[in-house]
Amino acid sequence: MHIMEGFLPHPWWEIWFLASAPFVIYGVSRINQMTRERREALPLLAVAGAFVFVLSSLKLPSVTGSCSHPTGTGIGAILFGTWITSVLAAIVLIYQAVFLAHGGLSTLGANVFSMGVAGPAAAYLIYRASSRAGLNFYLGVFAATAVADMITYLVTAMQLALAFPSSSGSVLESFWAFSAVFSLTQLPLALLEGVVAALMFKYILQLRGDVLLRLNVLSESALGRLREGLS
Amino acid sequence: MHDMLEMYAYSGRLSEVSASLKLLVVLGSVLICVSSPGPLAPMLIGITLAGSVVAWSRVPAGVFIRILLIPLSFALLSAIVVMLMGGTGETLFSFSLAGHGVAVRKGGADLGLLLLSRTFGGTCSMLFLALTTPMMEVFSILAACKMPQGLVELSMLIYRYIFVLLEEASLIHSAQNMRLGYAGLAGAIRSFSILGSVLFLRSWEKGEALITTMDARCYSGRLALATTMPISGPGLAAALAYLLVMASVAWLGRDVTLI
């Protein structure tokens, strides 16, 4: 859910730039450190970023009749962690703004905050909590991705509500209105992306479980158990 | 779609203008659009930039409008909420929705239209950049502006691999489609998930191959970048004059409303 160029008035677009900057800056320093320590990290990060972009530009099977794309950031956060996903999401959002005029430059800060910080953080925390609690792996992936999408669109609704409170001055009232309108398309989309993500991880497990092990998504014992379940 | 936009960026007459100059115009226009108090300046910026792309960059007007409509339709949804929620002044019209009275007031309608015009102007500015400036030139500017080297290199490699993976995704999608993979919702969800997972694994393998390729070409941790074209004096003067005129339109037309 992008906020389009020009939609957020002063001072809100500046505020969201300031809010998301620390996360991206910290992410960049993490990536610098990674690429210094391991040379092979840069190409892998690059294809990861391209993967997130392409995933988010694919058209999902339509449920509501509207044009719907996955955000891809929930899946990114499970695979690569929150910080790296923040940086990748920032780069992907700049490309979407500059190539396709989806989103924009002045609204970049707000979009990075909702899609690159809040969503991935939620996905990562839920996924880690569920795997620590010993919940079913696929259920964890589904919950993490679906909730990440919902958090993303709720944060977007909040950003718009803060900038445009209702005539009585109530931010809450306006927040409900925005989230109600967005939920028509975003709620089915979130559930759908959750299902797709869970199935995706199933196929990745079948074909190249070792990749998930290297990315530290699964422990060796968990991978063995899941492989047994599939065969 | 991406190939197409990039093709225009290389082929038009505006591709011979310095990228820094175009970036200056776009950033200036975006800032004027977002801070303009009235809808006049954003509309004018949108029309002039769209017109110059169509006139000088050989982009057919139909293509331009089609690309423009997608983001604008998203903005329309949010603008309608703003129109219904906010504002004071006289009621323009009212109706009842699910038992609630809904009224559109003048203040809300003005704000909604202002937002739409800002989005129109801003989106046209972004499309101006997309359709006239090859991405590689933007990277050179970023590197010249002392952005972290790692970030610029990462962005360049991501850029390259976006096209590789898009090609891959469209091949897989056609193969699935030919085998009726997208007939019915359940089948479509299954096919889409397979597409996503195979895409991930292909990109992983390409990443591993890329390490070998770069090592074989003596990658030392730095990628070479072309230098940018110098800014011409008359070009700079024209760009500054354009931005100045637009800023004054924004200032003079601050009280103009569309209703």
Side-chain angles (χ1 to χ4, degrees), chain B residues 13-26:
Chain B
R13 260 172 61 194
L14 281 172
S15 66
E16 287 154 27
V17 178
S18 158
S20 338
L21 199 60
K22 284 178 281 190
L23 206 58
L24 175 76
V25 170
V26 168

Side-chain angles (χ1 to χ4, degrees), chain B residues 50-257:
Chain B
S52 59
V53 168
V54 172
W56 290 327
S57 249
R58 293 182 219 154
V59 183
V63 172
F64 189 89
I65 290 171
R66 216 181 60 224
I67 312 174
L68 183 67
L69 277 182
I70 308 167
L72 279 190
S73 64
F74 288 133
L76 188 65
L77 193 69
S78 309
I80 289 174
V81 178
V82 171
M83 282 188 197
L84 294 179
M85 291 299 301
T88 46
E90 55 181 310
T91 305
L92 294 175
F93 60 93
S94 59
F95 56 94
S96 81
L97 183 80
H100 295 278
V102 179
V104 178
R105 295 173 204 278
K106 187 169 182 320
D110 279 341
L111 183 61
L113 289 175
L114 172 64
L115 289 176
L116 271 184
S117 73
R118 280 181 185 166
T119 307
F120 171 69
T123 308
C124 284
S125 317
M126 302 307 302
L127 281 176
F128 177 81
L129 188 70
L131 292 167
T132 63
T133 313
M135 210 53 209
M136 277 303 158
E137 295 187 8
V138 179
F139 291 131
S140 307
I141 299 175
L142 288 182
C145 293
K146 299 273 177 288
M147 291 288 278
Q149 176 81 19
L151 195 63
V152 176
E153 287 194 355
L154 184 61
S155 313
M156 281 171 63
L157 284 175
I158 288 181
Y159 181 69
R160 169 77 190 104
Y161 273 83
I162 282 173
F163 294 101
V164 175
L165 292 184
L166 271 179
E167 176 80 39
E168 200 86 39
S170 91
L171 283 177
I172 300 173
H173 188 269
S174 313
Q176 289 177 324
N177 217 357
M178 272 193 286
R179 292 164 179 79
L180 302 180
Y182 288 90
L185 185 63
I189 290 177
R190 213 176 70 92
S191 298
F192 190 86
S193 315
I194 295 178
L195 170 63
S197 58
V198 172
L199 202 61
F200 171 71
L201 292 175
R202 292 268 167 90
S203 32
W204 181 269
E205 281 156 12
K206 280 188 195 306
E208 285 177 332
L210 181 62
I211 302 165
T212 321
T213 330
M214 283 161 70
D215 277 344
R217 284 161 180 74
C218 307
Y219 174 63
S220 62
R222 303 213 109 185
L223 294 172
L225 278 168
T227 46
T228 50
M229 269 177 279
I231 300 180
S232 69
L236 184 64
L240 289 179
Y242 174 76
L243 290 178
L244 198 64
V245 169
M246 290 305 152
S248 3
V249 170
W251 175 248
L252 294 173
R254 61 188 179 277
D255 296 327
V256 177
T257 53

Side-chain angles (χ1 to χ4, degrees), chain A:
Chain A
M1 196 74 219
H2 295 68
I3 301 181
M4 289 301 146
E5 174 58 58
F7 212 87
L8 276 185
H10 165 85
W12 289 105
W13 62 270
E14 294 100 325
I15 289 176
W16 290 112
F17 263 103
L18 289 180
S20 48
F23 296 93
V24 176
I25 291 171
Y26 181 69
V28 170
S29 76
R30 285 283 291 264
I31 284 183
N32 274 338
Q33 191 190 341
M34 270 174 76
T35 47
R36 261 201 308 275
E37 282 166 10
R38 293 187 298 146
R39 281 165 46 78
E40 74 271 20
L42 184 70
L44 289 179
L45 285 170
V47 291
F51 172 70
V52 172
F53 180 95
V54 174
L55 194 66
S56 67
S57 72
L58 294 174
K59 240 170 116 171
L60 272 176
S62 176
V63 186
T64 48
S66 74
C67 173
S68 47
H69 300 269
T71 60
T73 50
I75 297 168
I78 296 174
L79 287 170
F80 314 111
T82 328
W83 302 110
I84 291 175
T85 309
S86 294
V87 179
L88 295 182
I91 297 177
V92 165
L93 282 168
I94 292 176
Y95 283 153
Q96 286 176 339
V98 175
F99 283 159
L100 306 170
H102 278 203
L105 286 185
S106 72
T107 51
L108 186 67
N111 286 332
V112 167
F113 194 85
S114 67
M115 297 181 69
V117 177
Y124 188 77
L125 289 177
I126 291 169
Y127 175 71
R128 288 290 154 187
S130 85
S131 63
R132 196 157 302 161
L135 285 180
N136 180 296
F137 170 67
Y138 304 112
L139 197 66
V141 171
F142 168 79
T145 317
V147 173
D149 274 10
M150 290 181 210
I151 296 280
T152 299
Y153 101 77
L154 286 177
V155 169
T156 308
M158 180 195 73
Q159 289 169 334
L160 289 172
L162 282 171
F164 306 106
S166 72
S167 44
S168 53
S170 157
V171 170
L172 202 63
E173 201 178 313
S174 166
F175 172 74
W176 288 124
F178 278 113
S179 30
V181 171
F182 293 160
S183 68
L184 294 177
T185 55
Q186 298 299 308
L187 212 54
L189 184 60
L191 297 177
L192 188 65
E193 189 171 344
V195 173
V196 165
L199 279 173
M200 258 180 69
F201 275 88
K202 184 184 144 207
Y203 296 128
I204 295 175
L205 258 176
Q206 277 176 339
L207 295 166
R208 288 282 306 264
D210 58 306
V211 173
L212 296 183
L213 203 62
R214 265 187 70 191
L215 282 171
N216 209 4
V217 175
L218 282 169
S219 65
E220 204 147 344
S221 58
L223 182 66
R225 250 183 298 122
L226 286 167
R227 277 243 162 114
E228 255 167 54
L230 283 175
S231 56

